[in-house]
PDB file of all heavy atoms in Angstrom:
ATOM      1  N   SER A 300      97.076 122.438  87.956  1.00 96.00           N
ATOM      2  CA  SER A 300      95.993 121.730  88.665  1.00 96.00           C
ATOM      3  C   SER A 300      96.560 120.966  89.861  1.00 96.00           C
ATOM      4  O   SER A 300      97.450 120.125  89.692  1.00 96.00           O
ATOM      5  CB  SER A 300      95.308 120.715  87.751  1.00 96.00           C
ATOM      6  OG  SER A 300      94.684 121.377  86.696  1.00 96.00           O
ATOM      7  N   ASP A 301      96.006 121.220  91.050  1.00 95.00           N
ATOM      8  CA  ASP A 301      96.530 120.585  92.267  1.00 95.00           C
ATOM      9  C   ASP A 301      96.586 119.073  92.149  1.00 95.00           C
ATOM     10  O   ASP A 301      97.485 118.435  92.684  1.00 95.00           O
ATOM     11  CB  ASP A 301      95.652 120.943  93.475  1.00 95.00           C
ATOM     12  CG  ASP A 301      95.875 122.368  93.937  1.00 95.00           C
ATOM     13  OD1 ASP A 301      96.916 122.951  93.579  1.00 95.00           O
ATOM     14  OD2 ASP A 301      94.995 122.891  94.651  1.00 95.00           O
ATOM     15  N   ASN A 302      95.589 118.490  91.487  1.00 97.00           N
ATOM     16  CA  ASN A 302      95.460 117.031  91.468  1.00 97.00           C
ATOM     17  C   ASN A 302      96.013 116.405  90.192  1.00 97.00           C
ATOM     18  O   ASN A 302      95.792 115.221  89.946  1.00 97.00           O
ATOM     19  CB  ASN A 302      93.998 116.615  91.645  1.00 97.00           C
ATOM     20  CG  ASN A 302      93.114 117.151  90.544  1.00 97.00           C
ATOM     21  OD1 ASN A 302      92.954 118.366  90.428  1.00 97.00           O
ATOM     22  ND2 ASN A 302      92.569 116.277  89.718  1.00 97.00           N
ATOM     23  N   LYS A 303      96.735 117.195  89.399  1.00 98.00           N
ATOM     24  CA  LYS A 303      97.359 116.631  88.196  1.00 98.00           C
ATOM     25  C   LYS A 303      98.831 117.055  88.201  1.00 98.00           C
ATOM     26  O   LYS A 303      99.188 118.129  87.697  1.00 98.00           O
ATOM     27  CB  LYS A 303      96.642 117.113  86.934  1.00 98.00           C
ATOM     28  CG  LYS A 303      95.234 116.532  86.825  1.00 98.00           C
ATOM     29  CD  LYS A 303      94.663 116.673  85.446  1.00 98.00           C
ATOM     30  CE  LYS A 303      93.850 117.906  85.274  1.00 98.00           C
ATOM     31  NZ  LYS A 303      93.160 117.972  83.973  1.00 98.00           N
ATOM     32  N   ARG A 304      99.650 116.200  88.807  1.00 98.00           N
ATOM     33  CA  ARG A 304     101.028 116.567  89.089  1.00 98.00           C
ATOM     34  C   ARG A 304     102.012 115.750  88.234  1.00 98.00           C
ATOM     35  O   ARG A 304     101.623 114.819  87.543  1.00 98.00           O
ATOM     36  CB  ARG A 304     101.299 116.357  90.587  1.00 98.00           C
ATOM     37  CG  ARG A 304     100.368 117.212  91.453  1.00 98.00           C
ATOM     38  CD  ARG A 304     100.292 116.766  92.893  1.00 98.00           C
ATOM     39  NE  ARG A 304      99.549 115.530  93.039  1.00 98.00           N
ATOM     40  CZ  ARG A 304      99.336 114.900  94.196  1.00 98.00           C
ATOM     41  NH1 ARG A 304      99.806 115.422  95.319  1.00 98.00           N
ATOM     42  NH2 ARG A 304      98.655 113.788  94.233  1.00 98.00           N
ATOM     43  N   CYS A 305     103.277 116.097  88.280  1.00 98.00           N
ATOM     44  CA  CYS A 305     104.295 115.358  87.524  1.00 98.00           C
ATOM     45  C   CYS A 305     105.566 115.243  88.352  1.00 98.00           C
ATOM     46  O   CYS A 305     105.963 116.171  89.056  1.00 98.00           O
ATOM     47  CB  CYS A 305     104.569 116.035  86.183  1.00 98.00           C
ATOM     48  SG  CYS A 305     105.151 117.718  86.284  1.00 98.00           S
ATOM     49  N   VAL A 306     106.193 114.098  88.225  1.00 98.00           N
ATOM     50  CA  VAL A 306     107.386 113.771  88.995  1.00 98.00           C
ATOM     51  C   VAL A 306     108.640 114.221  88.249  1.00 98.00           C
ATOM     52  O   VAL A 306     108.737 114.046  87.036  1.00 98.00           O
ATOM     53  CB  VAL A 306     107.412 112.245  89.226  1.00 98.00           C
ATOM     54  CG1 VAL A 306     108.746 111.773  89.713  1.00 98.00           C
ATOM     55  CG2 VAL A 306     106.313 111.849  90.188  1.00 98.00           C
ATOM     56  N   LYS A 307     109.588 114.788  89.008  1.00 98.00           N
ATOM     57  CA  LYS A 307     110.850 115.283  88.442  1.00 98.00           C
ATOM     58  C   LYS A 307     111.994 114.902  89.378  1.00 98.00           C
ATOM     59  O   LYS A 307     111.754 114.410  90.481  1.00 98.00           O
ATOM     60  CB  LYS A 307     110.793 116.817  88.341  1.00 98.00           C
ATOM     61  CG  LYS A 307     109.649 117.347  87.494  1.00 98.00           C
ATOM     62  CD  LYS A 307     109.684 118.863  87.443  1.00 98.00           C
ATOM     63  CE  LYS A 307     108.671 119.395  86.429  1.00 98.00           C
ATOM     64  NZ  LYS A 307     108.719 120.863  86.312  1.00 98.00           N
ATOM     65  N   PHE A 308     113.235 115.190  88.967  1.00 98.00           N
ATOM     66  CA  PHE A 308     114.350 115.025  89.894  1.00 98.00           C
ATOM     67  C   PHE A 308     115.424 116.053  89.612  1.00 98.00           C
ATOM     68  O   PHE A 308     115.477 116.645  88.514  1.00 98.00           O
ATOM     69  CB  PHE A 308     114.930 113.605  89.834  1.00 98.00           C
ATOM     70  CG  PHE A 308     115.737 113.306  88.610  1.00 98.00           C
ATOM     71  CD1 PHE A 308     117.126 113.313  88.668  1.00 98.00           C
ATOM     72  CD2 PHE A 308     115.125 113.007  87.405  1.00 98.00           C
ATOM     73  CE1 PHE A 308     117.887 113.028  87.539  1.00 98.00           C
ATOM     74  CE2 PHE A 308     115.876 112.732  86.266  1.00 98.00           C
ATOM     75  CZ  PHE A 308     117.258 112.742  86.340  1.00 98.00           C
ATOM     76  N   THR A 309     116.277 116.256  90.607  1.00 97.00           N
ATOM     77  CA  THR A 309     117.405 117.172  90.474  1.00 97.00           C
ATOM     78  C   THR A 309     118.480 116.730  91.452  1.00 97.00           C
ATOM     79  O   THR A 309     118.205 115.979  92.391  1.00 97.00           O
ATOM     80  CB  THR A 309     116.968 118.631  90.716  1.00 97.00           C
ATOM     81  OG1 THR A 309     118.020 119.513  90.339  1.00 97.00           O
ATOM     82  CG2 THR A 309     116.609 118.890  92.168  1.00 97.00           C
ATOM     83  N   GLU A 310     119.709 117.185  91.232  1.00 97.00           N
ATOM     84  CA  GLU A 310     120.793 116.762  92.125  1.00 97.00           C
ATOM     85  C   GLU A 310     120.685 117.450  93.478  1.00 97.00           C
ATOM     86  O   GLU A 310     120.238 118.607  93.567  1.00 97.00           O
ATOM     87  CB  GLU A 310     122.150 117.073  91.470  1.00 97.00           C
ATOM     88  CG  GLU A 310     123.276 116.344  92.172  1.00 97.00           C
ATOM     89  CD  GLU A 310     124.627 116.547  91.503  1.00 97.00           C
ATOM     90  OE1 GLU A 310     124.682 117.017  90.345  1.00 97.00           O
ATOM     91  OE2 GLU A 310     125.630 116.225  92.174  1.00 97.00           O
ATOM     92  N   LEU A 311     121.102 116.745  94.519  1.00 98.00           N
ATOM     93  CA  LEU A 311     121.125 117.294  95.886  1.00 98.00           C
ATOM     94  C   LEU A 311     122.556 117.202  96.395  1.00 98.00           C
ATOM     95  O   LEU A 311     123.229 116.184  96.180  1.00 98.00           O
ATOM     96  CB  LEU A 311     120.180 116.472  96.760  1.00 98.00           C
ATOM     97  CG  LEU A 311     120.102 116.778  98.257  1.00 98.00           C
ATOM     98  CD1 LEU A 311     118.653 116.672  98.748  1.00 98.00           C
ATOM     99  CD2 LEU A 311     120.987 115.830  99.063  1.00 98.00           C
ATOM    100  N   LYS A 312     123.014 118.271  97.048  1.00 98.00           N
ATOM    101  CA  LYS A 312     124.407 118.290  97.522  1.00 98.00           C
ATOM    102  C   LYS A 312     124.463 118.603  99.017  1.00 98.00           C
ATOM    103  O   LYS A 312     123.596 119.315  99.540  1.00 98.00           O
ATOM    104  CB  LYS A 312     125.204 119.347  96.757  1.00 98.00           C
ATOM    105  CG  LYS A 312     125.383 118.981  95.293  1.00 98.00           C
ATOM    106  CD  LYS A 312     126.190 120.025  94.544  1.00 98.00           C
ATOM    107  CE  LYS A 312     126.377 119.599  93.092  1.00 98.00           C
ATOM    108  NZ  LYS A 312     126.823 120.683  92.242  1.00 98.00           N
TER     109      LYS A 312
END
Side-chain angles (χ1 to χ4, degrees):
S300 296
D301 285 341
N302 61 295
K303 292 196 267 187
R304 300 163 288 179
C305 60
V306 166
K307 302 181 171 182
F308 74 102
T309 191
E310 195 176 345
L311 176 141
K312 292 181 178 165

